[in-house]
Amino acid sequence: MRLSVAAAISHGRVYRRFGLSPRSRLDLLRNLVTALVRHERIETPWARADEMRGYAERLIDYAKRGDKDERAMRMADFWLTEKDLIHKLFKVLAPRFQPHPGSYTRLLQIPNRDGLDRAKMAVIELKGNPLPPLVRPRRDSEKTLLNQLLKGYRQDAQRAAAP
Amino acid sequence: VLMVVGSPLPRLRTLLQRCWGRMERGLWPGVLGGQSPPWGPALAVQGPALVPQGINDAGESSVEVPSLLGSIVWMAAPKQRRTIEVNRCRRRHPSKLIEIKRNIDVCPECGNLKQKHVLCGYCYAKVKEETRLVRVEIHKKEGGPFNAPTVETVVLYEGEQPTEKDEGKRIIERARKRPSWFVQN
């Protein structure tokens, strides 16, 4: 029975490694969460956005408890380095997301960064933000071949059913 | 006889070199266990029994093992030139070729190519530019850093009035016609 962990095996580890140390990783993610709450849409490497998403959504869950809650206020105080955003979190974002049970953020991949590293980039935004929309919801068009064939089939069935 | 010597002490090295020299010249036949040269009777020989020192020194100077970095090490090297057929087999193996992407589509909005799971680059650049201009207006309205408002925000374009849904929201005005892809809620 293996009692010690061998080096370079990371089965089941969920947290990615960022920065210089675990504390540095938290600071990095904290900066990203602050930026997201301030600007409501940020563009960052995909791994960082994915990691940050969980923390941001849990912060909003804490904010939904209300600002009288001691733990919620301590969480917001730690995670938002710019203290005017604490007001925005409790007064704007918490009411905005009150009807939703979860998934307050949208993560979309964008083309790789233009620099030398060609990093996989993503844009993460809070739902319901006032900025121009990234993706338009497409309705399926009547004019596609499949829809035209299905329409014809439906009409034939109706004609056959109604003599 | 393969000899691998690391970096021994200088005295040991000279001793080994002398032994090697002697072996090569057949003056130390007992080592390899091969044929020993015919020795004459020691008593009848008038000359010296031992090899004189002069020959030794002369032999040593001619047998200079060129040692790189003071050590003798055998390194791996290819024995034969790889033919172009073998090279082609290795270079063109499927595992070394670039994979074909089959997830490229046409963006229905602008007609540029995009990957299926990635946003269209052109459309995203368009949206990014518009958000930048909206943020410029926001910055002008806020006036300085750390002035995040405690109310929601709504963006209105030229000739638009706030509806009853926009009660109590901060209004950001953009001095242009509303773009077709930014639908007002």
Side-chain angles (χ1 to χ4, degrees):
Chain A
M1 179 169 78
R2 181 183 277 277
L3 290 168
S4 68
V5 179
I9 294 183
S10 77
H11 292 166
R13 308 276 174 133
V14 287
Y15 299 123
R16 289 180 184 84
R17 300 160 120 206
F18 288 122
L20 314 156
S21 68
R23 179 66 207 216
S24 150
R25 168 184 170 273
L26 280 176
D27 287 336
L28 221 138
L29 294 174
R30 186 166 60 164
N31 288 342
L32 286 172
V33 169
T34 308
L36 180 67
V37 170
R38 175 173 287 283
H39 298 113
E40 306 208 19
R41 177 186 291 170
I42 55 175
E43 182 184 312
T44 153
W46 191 88
R48 292 185 189 186
D50 193 48
E51 196 83 0
M52 187 263 281
R53 199 177 179 196
Y55 289 103
E57 300 203 342
R58 271 168 213 259
L59 180 64
I60 295 176
D61 281 327
Y62 266 106
K64 275 193 194 176
R65 293 190 193 185
D67 62 353
K68 299 284 179 269
D69 192 49
E70 178 55 34
R71 286 194 71 188
M73 189 47 84
R74 285 216 332 256
M75 274 291 173
D77 186 50
F78 175 79
W79 279 97
L80 301 173
T81 52
E82 291 158 17
K83 301 308 169 191
D84 58 317
L85 293 175
I86 302 181
H87 300 280
K88 178 176 176 183
L89 177 71
F90 285 109
K91 293 182 186 161
V92 176
L93 299 182
R96 191 203 281 181
F97 294 123
Q98 203 66 50
H100 298 269
S103 87
Y104 317 114
T105 55
R106 187 178 288 130
L107 179 70
L108 298 161
Q109 191 182 344
I110 51 183
N112 288 356
R113 201 194 258 152
D114 285 330
L116 183 66
D117 62 352
R118 309 294 295 170
K120 180 177 180 185
M121 297 291 278
V123 57
I124 180 166
E125 62 168 9
L126 294 169
K127 291 184 182 169
N129 65 73
L131 302 168
L134 282 169
V135 55
R136 270 175 79 177
R138 285 199 78 78
R139 301 253 96 147
D140 224 0
S141 164
E142 254 283 300
K143 309 249 178 359
T144 58
L145 177 64
L146 183 60
N147 284 345
Q148 287 283 298
L149 290 170
L150 286 171
K151 183 172 155 196
Y153 179 77
R154 245 181 280 124
Q155 284 172 352
D156 285 345
Q158 279 165 7
R159 251 179 264 136
Chain B
V1 174
L2 270 175
M3 205 161 73
V4 178
V5 175
S7 54
L9 306 162
R11 268 174 287 170
L12 188 59
R13 177 176 135 228
T14 42
L15 169 68
L16 283 169
Q17 278 177 354
R18 282 193 192 176
C19 292
W20 184 250
R22 274 197 216 155
M23 255 167 53
E24 288 208 294
R25 276 170 281 125
L27 295 168
W28 199 2
V31 179
L32 284 175
Q35 330 82 338
S36 33
W39 285 97
L43 291 171
V45 171
Q46 283 285 325
L50 292 172
V51 180
Q53 278 299 314
I55 301 176
N56 247 1
D57 290 334
E60 237 178 73
S61 55
S62 64
V63 181
E64 265 297 320
V65 179
S67 53
L68 195 62
L69 307 170
S71 62
I72 310 165
V73 172
W74 298 101
M75 304 264 302
K79 195 73 183 173
Q80 291 290 345
R81 177 210 155 108
R82 284 162 156 180
T83 59
I84 187 63
E85 293 87 5
V86 166
N87 282 340
R88 279 195 198 120
C89 288
R90 185 184 67 258
R91 288 169 194 161
R92 296 182 188 182
H93 192 266
S95 66
K96 297 213 171 158
L97 300 178
I98 307 173
E99 287 198 22
I100 316 171
K101 287 199 203 308
R102 296 184 196 277
N103 54 1
I104 304 180
D105 251 344
V106 171
C107 170
E109 312 273 326
C110 60
N112 287 317
L113 295 174
K114 69 184 268 298
Q115 278 191 296
K116 286 182 185 161
H117 60 290
V118 178
L119 294 184
C120 167
Y122 186 81
C123 301
Y124 177 68
K126 212 168 50 177
V127 172
K128 194 171 164 183
E129 178 58 26
E130 187 60 32
T131 31
R132 190 186 67 84
L133 296 169
V134 168
R135 285 198 182 132
V136 161
E137 298 291 324
I138 291 175
H139 186 78
K140 273 196 265 186
K141 193 135 204 195
E142 285 179 3
F146 310 127
N147 289 343
T150 51
V151 290
E152 292 269 7
T153 310
V154 71
V155 179
L156 294 177
Y157 287 85
E158 228 153 47
E160 284 173 12
Q161 299 306 316
T163 63
E164 62 276 351
K165 274 200 298 185
D166 304 332
E167 300 282 303
K169 291 189 188 176
R170 165 178 76 154
I171 309 232
I172 301 289
E173 320 239 286
R174 278 275 296 126
R176 57 156 282 182
K177 189 170 76 79
R178 179 170 282 267
S180 58
W181 44 269
F182 190 177
V183 176
Q184 188 177 18
N185 294 331

